[in-house]
């Protein structure tokens, strides 16, 4: 799933700062996939 997120290709920061960004994107991804089941 992470490979399909194009925003991560432009992410240029330290891993400590990238972790909360990736976690927030993952939460939004789960919210979006659960919104339209099937």
């Amino acid at each position: 799933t992470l490979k399909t997120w194009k925003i991560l290709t432009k992410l240029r920061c330290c891993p400590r700062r990238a972790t909360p960004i990736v976690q927030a994107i993952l939460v939004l991804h789960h919210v979006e996939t659960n919104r339209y089941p099937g």
Side-chain angles (χ1 to χ4, degrees):
T1 303
L2 288 174
K3 291 181 181 180
T4 61
W5 296 343
K6 293 182 180 181
I7 193 159
L8 295 179
T9 61
K10 297 180 181 181
L11 188 63
R12 299 286 183 249
C13 60
C14 68
R16 183 174 292 157
R17 183 170 174 169
T19 301
I21 294 171
V22 172
Q23 287 174 341
I25 293 172
L26 187 60
V27 167
L28 293 174
H29 175 75
H30 284 302
V31 167
E32 190 65 25
T33 54
N34 291 335
R35 180 183 287 181
Y36 303 108

